[in-house]
Amino acid sequence: MNLPHDDKSCGWYAALPTPEKATGLAGRQVADYAVIGAGFAGLAAARRLAIHKPEARILLVDAQRVGEGASGRNSGFVIDLPHKFALENPDPEFKQRLLRLNRAAIGQLQSLIGEHGIACQWSHAGKYQGAVGERGLAYLAHFEKLLSELGEPYHSVEGAALAKVLGTSHYSRAVYTPGCYLMQPAALVRGLASSLPDNVELLENSPIFRVERDGKGGYVLHGANGEIHTQRLLLGTSIFTREFGYLQNRLLPVMTFASWTAPLDEAQSKRYSGVFDWGLTPADHAGTTVRMTQDRRIIIRNTYRHVSKYGRSVDDAMRNRIRASHRKAFLARFPELSDVEFTHTWGGVYAISRNFTNFFGQLDDGAFASACDNGVGAAWGTISGTLLADHAVGAQSSLLDDIQAVTGMPSLNPPEPFLGLGVRSRIMLAAWQSRSEL
């Protein structure tokens, strides 16, 4: 079994204080509900179950510490708009459903952050979609067309006005959309975990090696130092869902990488000519994402890899090559900050499907999952986990109708080695085509 195996180089997590000692799975435990995976989806599912079933015992178990996995490794965007290929869907109602779901997730997160005082650099900063050359500008024009058809507000920014925000003249033009929020992902998920209801017990550093039926309609979850017996199982495990025997040959493990700098000091901040706290995604999907954080760090994210063994597919040599490519992208944008060094380079693994379809719903009697976020984990994980709990207890809502209407079964993948060859070739082609936007 391939378990999560993330390196210790994630900048978001390293910037946090050392957490309190973890409680792990030990002995024989009996729970009314067990949730595997304490990322955005699992945290939301456990919280919602606790609201529905305040007298139930709910165990939330994760192979790592909260914030060490994919949910704490993204670029810190919570995006309201349909993402990438979903925005191309010809059905307007499909996109309106996604908007409702994403905005419900944002509202839910904002409420929890306020209620529990979660310090995570939460900011209603909006988002820039940026273009460098002709290829990017063509994608940007298409993006504007799709936004107009959707009836969503946006405005174009270019020239000196754009450079004044970003602190670089590298970009020709950008489209600003106001509905995106920015945050520190590892801080957010840790804050969500520390504010769970009293009837949710969090078990960390407790990988589950095997899930089997107990012959009585329930499940047994086997760990190294104990086991969990439960009648209801919810999986917020994204790509790792396939390790438990579900959705096999339907999910593709992809890792994307980021590097960030130390916080700019006073002298460096004076040389930097932009504002602090903004985020830019590339108009060309394979281009470079850039963020300036509230604590004055610059993040560069690009480079994708097919990682059949998740974190174990990455070694120091690969990470160093990626870091060098990030450095090139950084200097192209901020040459006046050449003395600012990267302190961390990290990757995060997520699940995509060949038909860009997210799975949501029942896997087996008493077993439910939200899997395959296709690269939009913060908003999608939050709302899908919430609604998965609703589904598991039989609660109905218009949002549950929405998510069931926009999800389905990820398509089957070809067998290895053809799958790996195809994915790697597609990633290499996309990088070559988008080289001017990197």
Side-chain angles (χ1 to χ4, degrees):
M1 183 180 189
N2 291 307
L3 293 167
H5 182 77
D6 294 308
D7 58 76
K8 300 298 183 181
S9 65
C10 177
W12 294 120
Y13 193 83
L16 298 179
T18 300
E20 296 180 3
K21 184 178 179 181
T23 298
L25 172 60
R28 184 181 189 275
Q29 303 294 326
V30 179
D32 299 292
Y33 295 88
V35 182
I36 304 179
F40 284 111
L43 287 164
R47 186 182 298 275
R48 187 72 152 204
L49 285 171
I51 292 171
H52 283 305
K53 304 288 185 179
E55 303 303 318
R57 187 187 189 203
I58 300 161
L59 295 183
L60 173 60
V61 58
D62 198 279
Q64 302 169 280
R65 297 303 305 265
V66 169
E68 285 187 331
S71 288
R73 290 173 169 264
N74 61 66
S75 295
F77 293 82
V78 190
I79 300 173
D80 62 329
L81 295 171
H83 195 51
K84 294 183 179 178
F85 297 102
L87 196 58
E88 304 273 355
N89 193 293
D91 180 6
E93 180 57 21
F94 179 92
K95 290 182 277 195
Q96 290 297 330
R97 289 180 186 273
L98 287 174
L99 279 169
R100 289 194 290 268
L101 290 164
N102 290 340
R103 286 171 177 163
I106 289 172
Q108 182 175 322
L109 288 171
Q110 181 152 310
S111 177
L112 290 169
I113 289 166
E115 178 183 354
H116 299 289
I118 300 173
C120 61
Q121 301 182 28
W122 183 256
S123 170
H124 189 185
K127 180 176 73 69
Y128 293 87
Q129 188 110 312
V132 178
E134 291 185 6
R135 178 179 169 88
L137 288 169
Y139 274 106
L140 202 60
H142 183 56
F143 180 56
E144 289 177 297
K145 177 177 180 290
L146 293 172
L147 288 175
S148 295
E149 292 172 352
L150 195 57
E152 285 297 306
Y154 69 90
H155 68 262
S156 177
V157 191
E158 54 189 308
L162 182 60
K164 187 176 181 179
V165 174
L166 306 181
T168 175
S169 58
H170 184 74
Y171 291 92
S172 300
R173 191 164 73 86
V175 167
Y176 175 81
T177 51
C180 176
Y181 284 69
L182 302 178
M183 47 79 178
Q184 209 278 36
L188 176 53
V189 292
R190 186 184 285 186
L192 293 170
S194 66
S195 60
L196 287 166
D198 291 341
N199 60 325
V200 178
E201 299 171 50
L202 174 63
L203 305 175
E204 299 175 272
N205 288 337
S206 301
I208 299 300
F209 297 102
R210 189 172 80 257
V211 173
E212 62 183 8
R213 301 305 300 263
D214 64 1
K216 302 175 184 178
Y219 294 85
V220 183
L221 286 55
H222 296 273
N225 300 309
E227 60 187 33
I228 300 171
H229 295 252
T230 185
Q231 290 299 113
R232 293 288 183 269
L233 173 64
L234 281 71
L235 299 178
T237 44
S238 186
I239 186 62
F240 296 98
T241 306
R242 64 184 194 168
E243 298 297 327
F244 299 111
Y246 299 111
L247 304 178
Q248 289 185 322
N249 303 316
R250 294 185 183 275
L251 307 179
L252 294 168
V254 173
M255 187 174 281
T256 184
F257 294 85
S259 296
W260 80 358
T261 68
L264 301 187
D265 63 25
E266 184 176 349
Q268 293 161 346
S269 296
K270 288 180 179 178
R271 271 184 272 136
Y272 169 72
S273 58
V275 302
F276 296 97
D277 192 29
W278 54 264
L280 180 144
T281 56
D284 184 344
H285 302 326
T288 297
T289 293
V290 187
R291 269 202 63 191
M292 170 62 80
T293 67
Q294 287 184 8
D295 58 352
R296 303 191 175 192
R297 302 174 188 267
I298 296 174
I299 300 174
I300 300 289
R301 189 195 77 178
N302 60 40
T303 311
Y304 296 83
R305 292 288 188 273
H306 175 237
V307 285
S308 58
K309 294 183 179 180
Y310 318 123
R312 293 187 185 278
S313 298
V314 180
D315 57 23
D316 288 340
M318 179 190 291
R319 192 177 298 105
N320 288 337
R321 289 193 299 271
I322 291 168
R323 189 185 185 103
S325 72
H326 288 169
R327 190 68 184 168
K328 182 178 178 181
F330 173 81
L331 292 175
R333 289 159 175 81
F334 306 103
E336 73 282 3
L337 297 176
S338 60
D339 60 325
V340 179
E341 298 294 336
F342 288 147
T343 61
H344 297 82
T345 297
W346 68 92
V349 65
Y350 63 96
I352 64 173
S353 60
R354 293 174 61 236
N355 59 351
F356 303 104
T357 296
N358 304 48
F359 180 85
F360 172 92
Q362 190 163 349
L363 294 164
D364 200 349
D365 291 341
F368 305 82
S370 172
C372 195
D373 57 33
N374 283 297
V376 285
W380 183 260
T382 297
I383 195 62
S384 67
T386 299
L387 296 173
L388 193 70
D390 288 355
H391 187 41
V393 303
Q396 300 297 313
S397 69
S398 60
L399 285 174
L400 183 58
D401 293 339
D402 283 339
I403 201 168
Q404 290 174 327
V406 300
T407 53
M409 182 60 71
S411 60
L412 281 169
N413 300 323
E416 293 287 5
F418 305 105
L419 174 62
L421 288 170
V423 175
R424 288 190 292 272
S425 298
R426 182 67 186 89
I427 290 173
M428 290 174 63
L429 176 61
W432 184 83
Q433 290 175 329
S434 304
R435 62 194 183 281
S436 63
E437 299 294 315
L438 289 171

